[in-house]
Amino acid sequence: MLILASKSPRRRELLSLITSDFIIKTADIDETLPAKIAPDKAVEYLSRIKALPFANGSNTVIGADTIVAKDGEILGKPKDRNDAFRMLRLLSGCCHSVFTGVTITAPNKDITFSVETKVKFFELSDKEINEYLDTDEPYDKAGAYGIQGKGSLFVEKIDGDYFNVVGLPVASLKRKLF
């Protein structure tokens, strides 16, 4: 049985590009990161602690987590509108990294890896940011934006896997999964 250990509807949709034969399971876990952890190691750590509650030796479990990082600062999901505004202002006109960590546990496999995609935003006006914050889109996403939605209007260019920014590096995952 293949288990996706993630609440993300985007990950569910992306995993279905690889297979439709999976179920969703999630556990309440403490996502507090160790101090001074690097962004790539942070997502690897979080993907692993999401997968481990369902790793029983007979199932294949996929855990994943995505963060945005700018100049070493990890930008998770915004706490509120002010936090979302701060994040988008920080990303405005700049290049940042999106990291997704993935853990695969299976009877004869235990892999944790991360993928980095570089994203460059156009310069954003306060008006643009506030109009975006008036939507529901930014509040449940790392870095306060969704590249697959209206947040795409901020993106000048990307370097790397687009689906990684959405929340699951499907091409890399498929090659490691099977």
Side-chain angles (χ1 to χ4, degrees), residues 128-140:
E128 283 178 289
I129 294 172
N130 281 311
E131 286 173 352
Y132 185 60
L133 296 178
D134 289 341
T135 73
D136 290 335
E137 193 172 288
Y139 299 102
D140 70 336

Side-chain angles (χ1 to χ4, degrees), residues 6-7 12 18 32 40 55 57-58 64 69 103 108 116-117 144 148:
S6 175
K7 296 175 186 172
R12 180 180 309 142
I18 298 172
T32 304
D40 60 329
S58 63
T103 294
N108 50 0
E116 178 183 9
T117 302
Q148 72 281 7

Side-chain angles (χ1 to χ4, degrees), residues 2 4 9-22 24 62 168 170 173:
L2 179 61
L4 175 61
R10 294 165 297 281
R11 285 196 190 99
R12 180 180 309 142
E13 183 180 331
L14 292 174
L15 184 57
S16 71
L17 296 173
I18 298 172
T19 180
S20 60
D21 189 20
F22 65 93
I24 306 290
I62 300 168
L168 196 65
V170 292
L173 173 59

